[in-house]
Amino acid sequence: MVSRVIPVNNFDLVIFGGTGDLARRKILPGLFRRFIAGQMPAESRIIGAARSDLDAAGYRKMIKDAIAEFGGPEKKDATSLKAFLAQLDYIAIDAKGDGGWRELAKLMRKNVVRAFYFSVGPSLFGDLAERLHKHKIADENSRIVVEKPFGRDLESAQALNATLAAHFSEKQIYRIDHYLGKETVQNLMAVRFGNVLFEPLWNNHYIDHIQITVAETVGVGGRGAYYDRSGAMRDMVQNHLMQLLCLTAMEPPSQFGADEVRDEKLKVIRALQPVEPHHIVRGQYDPDGDSPGYRDDVENPRSFTESFIAMRCEISNWRWAGVPFYLRTGKKLKERVSTIDVVFKDLGHSIFEGDTARHRNVLSIRLQPNEGMDLQVTIKEPGPGGMRLIDVPLDMTFAEALGDDVDQATDAYERLIMDVIRGNQTLFMRGDEVEAAWQWTDPLIEGWEARNDVPKHYEAGSAGPEDSLMLMHRDGRKWREIKG
Ligand code: NAP
């Protein structure tokens, strides 16, 4: 792997919830990869903070085990691991009490970047913000990183924003949506705004419709209680799919700056039309042999929460008027796939006699698996026998196209954490963006709750409920196949 990392300044990164699942599975293994890549200055420190009664040695042991379990091939580098662990510290602290805060204040150094990752439930955000302020641990250059879910409706998101704003300015708040840290998502902007080829076609003159699919093969797993209160709309659409839609649909920003990009995304959200009830299909997966169905998984036999949603959205502005955006996401589907498919319009007229098939250009942007893109183009089928046309993909799987130059190991989390240290907010959601997303989402949820909408059944391992296929058929279109 060829690493072209930009070093960052010395930092003290405090991870509240440093003993939790996210910290052990994603954040710390990711930071170890950044360390190996030479991006973590020797003077920098990572301080785990949680209520568990641990000392620095105990925490280092916990993280060593976590890296052994969740890390990539780099975990075999024992020398680097030892050096990385030496930069870890731990403080036992209660977000709701006063124990540990003075000790944390004493640990913090002057003249380094101070970042505080709130990897705890949102009910603790206010307590943390208040105590960081009260104990003068955060200064005006400090940053806080907050995890999803950012509220469960507009009102709670506004309350969370107000809580954080009481002690931190918007410039200091980094709201994570890890989809924005994915390589291909950033590549979407590079493709759109770094090439002359696509932008002239990126509008309702040439694009028929756009499909955004985020399909998972897993069920709700151990998160049943949380998931049943959220559903696919709150858990996936309001944040991840919305961000993908924004990056696909936004106008070119004047420059690649945090506010310029976020201003354009916000305009897209504000231009989203309310979705008609018959343009929304919600579903729940059925039991499959020994494998439990959704209602068994969440232990709620009367649950009306959706584990699948498909919808047809419209953006009312000059660029996109008349171009539907079809979104779908669900659990226990046939493959684990995230793609954006930009389906171009049919040719107005074919000069090839006898060619009755409909040929379409489709640009597919694959977030996972096999990050990359392909462009479906129409060519002549090789061989004699006249001019028969076939559609073939111009495939650019990054790992194949870029070989050793592609950095496949870097995870979205570590990329985003380094952006926090650099002070770059471009790939983080702004408060007004999150609120606007809820403003669009809330009436849709309230609508189906008022209608007592019952989610449709779908088979585990399928492409979702039949009705979601109908959503497309009615428009004379078809979902792209879910395939990895
Ligand atoms: P988790 O495994 O339950 O961990 C929670 C952490 O918070 C633990 O370290 C816990 O340690 C600490 N904590 C709880 N109460 C505390 C208090 N009063 N004071 C100080 N620390 C306290 O949760 P998680 O899965 O890591 O998730 C953390 C956050 O990230 C949540 O907001 C979640 O929604 C979000 N998130 C997680 C994932 C994921 O993949 N796990 C993905 C996306 C978003 P002690 O018990 O020792 O205090």
Side-chain angles (χ1 to χ4, degrees):
M1 183 206 314
V2 176
S3 177
R4 294 190 205 94
V5 294
I6 306 167
V8 295
N9 291 330
N10 273 327
F11 61 84
D12 280 349
L13 169 64
V14 179
I15 305 174
F16 293 107
T19 56
D21 175 71
L22 183 67
R24 286 181 296 111
R25 219 159 34 82
K26 288 282 180 189
I27 303 174
L28 270 309
L31 284 165
F32 178 46
R33 277 191 292 273
R34 292 299 87 212
F35 177 88
I36 292 206
Q39 210 170 13
M40 189 170 151
E43 299 292 307
S44 293
R45 287 178 316 176
I46 299 164
I47 302 160
R51 290 168 307 179
S52 301
D53 187 18
L54 289 172
D55 57 11
Y59 189 59
R60 286 175 189 145
K61 166 84 174 66
M62 174 187 269
I63 300 310
K64 187 179 177 193
D65 293 346
I67 290 173
E69 189 174 354
F70 303 114
E74 71 285 344
K75 66 189 175 197
K76 296 201 182 102
D77 182 348
T79 313
S80 298
L81 183 57
K82 195 168 169 214
F84 172 72
L85 293 173
Q87 290 184 237
L88 262 55
D89 208 336
Y90 180 81
I91 195 117
I93 217 162
D94 185 349
K96 288 185 167 298
D98 280 321
W101 289 94
R102 275 210 200 101
E103 291 77 1
L104 179 60
K106 269 194 228 146
L107 263 185
M108 304 307 292
R109 296 170 300 167
K110 289 203 166 63
N111 305 322
V112 299
V113 174
R114 288 183 189 182
F116 303 94
Y117 199 129
F118 293 5
S119 182
V120 294
S123 63
L124 296 178
F125 290 178
D127 295 299
L128 291 176
E130 201 180 304
R131 283 176 174 73
L132 283 172
H133 181 76
K134 179 173 150 193
H135 293 277
K136 300 192 170 46
I137 297 171
D139 57 26
E140 68 274 15
N141 294 319
S142 302
R143 288 126 213 205
I144 57 168
V145 184
V146 295
E147 263 298 335
K148 91 168 210 193
F150 201 87
R152 56 173 280 111
D153 53 21
L154 176 60
E155 197 183 338
S156 53
Q158 282 172 329
L160 261 185
N161 274 335
T163 302
L164 299 180
H167 301 296
F168 294 92
S169 72
E170 185 61 37
K171 291 261 170 264
Q172 297 177 280
I173 304 171
Y174 291 71
R175 294 175 195 77
I176 283 224
D177 182 325
H178 72 275
Y179 266 59
L180 289 178
K182 288 183 184 285
E183 189 72 43
T184 325
V185 170
Q186 295 171 65
N187 237 314
L188 177 58
M189 288 188 275
V191 164
R192 281 195 61 193
F193 306 130
N195 293 285
V196 73
L197 209 58
F198 296 108
E199 199 48 29
L201 308 179
W202 212 260
N203 55 53
N204 53 9
H205 296 292
Y206 296 98
I207 292 177
D208 179 76
H209 71 278
I210 291 177
Q211 303 185 14
I212 301 179
T213 299
V214 177
E216 297 178 281
T217 48
V218 292
V220 297
R223 296 166 68 222
Y226 157 77
Y227 194 91
D228 203 38
R229 275 181 274 114
S230 307
M233 184 68 162
R234 287 191 172 98
D235 192 48
M236 296 297 290
V237 178
Q238 186 273 345
N239 37 65
H240 304 319
L241 276 84
M242 176 74 78
Q243 289 297 321
L244 299 182
L245 179 137
C246 284
L247 294 173
T248 309
M250 72 184 191
E251 294 299 313
S254 59
Q255 55 178 311
F256 192 53
D259 276 330
E260 289 81 355
V261 170
R262 297 185 300 177
D263 285 346
E264 296 307 334
K265 287 198 292 167
L266 181 61
K267 285 185 208 162
V268 174
I269 303 173
R270 290 195 173 145
L272 269 171
Q273 288 298 293
V275 183
E276 299 285 335
H278 66 283
H279 285 152
I280 303 176
V281 178
R282 300 188 316 124
Q284 281 180 348
Y285 55 82
D286 286 334
D288 179 25
D290 290 343
S291 164
Y294 175 78
R295 288 181 173 189
D296 307 315
D297 267 348
V298 299
E299 295 175 3
N300 179 3
R302 298 180 55 78
S303 172
F304 287 151
T305 304
E306 74 286 353
S307 60
F308 173 96
I309 189 164
M311 56 208 297
R312 180 194 199 275
C313 306
E314 283 175 34
I315 299 170
S316 61
N317 62 21
W318 271 45
R319 188 187 283 264
W320 296 116
V323 180
F325 282 67
Y326 297 95
L327 313 184
R328 71 178 157 166
T329 180
K331 295 200 172 283
K332 286 250 175 128
L333 297 179
K334 63 195 281 198
E335 297 268 2
R336 178 170 177 257
V337 171
S338 301
T339 37
I340 302 168
D341 293 299
V342 180
V343 181
F344 289 87
K345 289 192 168 170
D346 291 338
L347 283 177
H349 166 72
S350 176
I351 62 168
F352 303 108
E353 204 179 319
D355 180 47
T356 49
R358 191 164 71 166
H359 300 284
R360 281 194 157 173
N361 297 122
V362 181
L363 176 68
S364 297
I365 299 142
R366 291 190 305 272
L367 279 70
Q368 65 189 20
N370 308 324
E371 282 193 274
M373 333 196 159
D374 67 60
L375 178 62
Q376 181 177 292
V377 291
T378 304
I379 60 164
K380 176 189 170 297
E381 194 179 329
M387 190 62 123
R388 291 185 310 274
L389 303 185
I390 52 166
D391 295 329
V392 293
L394 279 179
D395 189 359
M396 197 178 71
T397 300
F398 295 153
E400 285 168 20
L402 304 173
D404 282 349
D405 277 359
V406 69
D407 174 0
Q408 291 177 67
T410 308
D411 180 82
Y413 275 99
E414 60 201 83
R415 194 173 284 128
L416 292 172
I417 294 171
M418 287 299 123
D419 275 359
V420 173
I421 307 296
R422 287 192 201 98
N424 183 353
Q425 289 185 303
T426 310
L427 299 176
F428 296 84
M429 293 178 297
R430 211 167 52 191
D432 51 2
E433 226 184 301
V434 178
E435 289 184 15
W438 281 120
Q439 206 160 8
W440 176 76
T441 311
D442 279 359
L444 307 183
I445 297 175
E446 285 158 11
W448 71 60
E449 284 175 351
R451 293 192 302 277
N452 291 322
D453 181 73
V454 181
K456 311 284 184 234
H457 293 262
Y458 64 94
E459 259 179 57
S462 71
E466 281 290 315
D467 287 35
S468 69
L469 310 182
M470 286 309 296
L471 180 75
M472 280 286 200
H473 284 314
R474 277 203 306 264
D475 290 352
R477 300 186 174 102
K478 257 169 77 177
W479 288 107
R480 306 274 297 163
E481 199 187 335
I482 296 181
K483 62 168 193 261

